[in-house]
Amino acid sequence: MGIETTLLLAVAKKLLTKWKNQLPADDHSLLPSEVGLMGGIENLALRNEDLLSTLEGAQSATTAVLDAVTQKIKGFQSQIDVLRNDEILGTKSLDQLLTLFGCNHKPEAKSPQPEEFRNKDPKGRQTNELWFLYHIESTPDFVGASDCIRDAWYSWKEFISLNVWELNDDNKEKANVIIRTKYIDGGGPILGQAHVGPPNGYVLELEMDKGHSWTKTRFEGAVCHEIGHLLGLDHTPGDGHLMSEYIKEGIVSPSQVDINNALALGHYIPALRPTPEPEPPGPYPGESEAARRRREIQARYLS
Ligand SMILES: [Zn+2]
């Protein structure tokens, strides 16, 4: 599919004409070029499936199409503190839009509920603590990508009591979180997605865009953001938070607001943890002593 270039151009022309009529002549220089605006509209559509399908299905730049685009401009501006909510994608709004990234968070992607994901205390009673056994299936092609993933878990563990272990290839079938790369939007603004995956909802999938040209901090921040969704968090309103809908380069750990939202979901501050840190699970059937030791060392590093 994809959006027809002729449609994008028609939408950009009509919006620019409308905005020029709204703005005093002195301010017309604050509007982007037709080509610039086409890029901005496409960027918005890549972040919003409903807008994308509207534009892909449209025959011409009707009022309904223009309204759909305007709605998304409004939604974007309302999330960014420094922008005026004038529903005009001027150069300032466009610059912001193009430097911020997004994720494909679906509201139905909630944290795992089954008992298998919950820690038991020493007496075998269920607690509210989540228990993540993650396996890294693939990473983007840069040195240190796996360490970024470990650091991202650690950023949450500093503030929220979590049980996290990394499973290597020997034990990957025990994992309840699979982390992998996947082509998501062809290098567009979407960095990743997290969801409760098939076949039975017991395995969480955290997928990072394979087509993206990653930097280390952008990758670590995006993984940390997606882990926030695995904890059950939705997007934090406004910008500058790890869990903001529009992700800023360089933010690699949760803000106080993000942490408060996680605590409100029933997660604990590590110091107030009601039960002792559990032992790593296993040994797994067929696991060698060397593999078991390696896993213990990893667990110590991560906890
Ligand atoms: Zn998100």
Side-chain angles (χ1 to χ4, degrees):
M1 277 292 268
I3 309 166
E4 294 286 343
T5 310
T6 47
L7 177 80
L8 265 184
L9 179 62
V11 172
K13 273 181 190 287
K14 282 197 176 179
L15 284 175
L16 282 171
T17 306
K18 184 180 147 199
W19 295 340
K20 278 179 183 160
N21 288 333
Q22 268 172 257
L23 292 170
D26 282 356
D27 287 349
H28 288 189
S29 63
L30 302 175
L31 293 173
S33 66
E34 276 170 11
V35 175
L37 181 56
M38 285 166 72
I41 296 166
E42 195 173 24
N43 189 296
L44 278 174
L46 287 171
R47 298 169 190 266
N48 295 281
E49 277 172 26
D50 51 338
L51 179 60
L52 187 62
S53 61
T54 300
L55 291 174
E56 283 179 341
Q59 303 300 317
S60 60
T62 59
T63 309
V65 170
L66 300 185
D67 285 349
V69 174
T70 305
Q71 272 306 313
K72 296 303 173 192
I73 294 171
K74 186 180 174 183
F76 166 66
Q77 288 177 329
S78 72
Q79 293 298 312
I80 307 300
D81 298 340
V82 296
L83 294 180
R84 224 169 357 139
N85 298 349
D86 59 4
E87 301 174 22
I88 293 175
L89 199 62
T91 48
K92 191 174 173 190
S93 292
L94 188 61
D95 286 350
Q96 286 279 332
L97 179 67
L98 298 180
T99 56
L100 296 167
F101 300 96
C103 97
N104 239 356
H105 179 52
K106 308 266 194 308
E108 67 270 22
K110 285 292 173 198
S111 67
Q113 296 306 316
E115 288 196 349
E116 284 80 350
F117 283 90
R118 307 235 160 226
N119 185 30
K120 290 192 172 64
D121 70 12
K123 292 188 173 158
R125 291 169 302 202
Q126 203 77 47
T127 71
N128 281 330
E129 285 181 292
L130 292 171
W131 173 280
F132 291 114
L133 304 168
Y134 72 90
H135 174 64
I136 303 174
E137 196 176 276
S138 54
T139 64
D141 192 18
F142 66 84
V143 178
S146 294
D147 285 332
C148 289
I149 295 172
R150 293 173 191 128
D151 289 347
W153 283 108
Y154 193 82
S155 295
W156 277 108
K157 275 181 67 80
E158 250 187 288
F159 305 106
I160 299 294
S161 179
L162 293 177
N163 306 292
V164 182
W165 286 284
E166 182 175 341
L167 300 187
N168 57 25
D169 278 342
D170 300 343
N171 299 303
K172 63 182 178 192
E173 72 284 354
K174 304 278 181 188
N176 59 18
V177 180
I178 302 289
I179 298 170
R180 67 167 74 94
T181 54
K182 182 186 175 180
Y183 288 106
I184 295 178
D185 68 347
I190 299 299
L191 298 181
Q193 53 196 15
H195 50 89
V196 178
N200 48 19
Y202 289 179
V203 177
L204 301 165
E205 295 179 316
L206 198 161
E207 297 175 326
M208 309 307 294
D209 190 15
K210 199 171 183 170
H212 197 82
S213 57
W214 290 100
T215 63
K216 249 182 179 177
T217 50
R218 194 179 296 165
F219 183 66
E220 188 180 327
V223 172
C224 206
H225 175 104
E226 296 306 325
I227 289 173
H229 287 315
L230 296 186
L231 299 179
L233 287 169
D234 287 324
H235 288 141
T236 299
D239 60 357
H241 306 285
L242 176 71
M243 295 311 294
S244 292
E245 181 180 350
Y246 293 89
I247 303 170
K248 218 174 242 173
E249 171 101 39
I251 295 180
V252 293
S253 60
S255 70
Q256 192 57 52
V257 179
D258 297 323
I259 293 164
N260 291 347
N261 289 344
L263 296 176
L265 288 177
H267 295 293
Y268 304 112
I269 296 171
L272 298 180
R273 185 194 183 100
T275 57
E277 186 98 18
E279 287 294 305
Y284 299 128
E287 186 177 38
S288 70
E289 183 50 31
R292 156 96 184 142
R293 263 207 310 277
R294 201 162 55 229
R295 194 157 52 73
E296 268 185 352
I297 291 164
Q298 279 179 345
R300 220 169 297 139
Y301 167 72
L302 283 164
S303 58

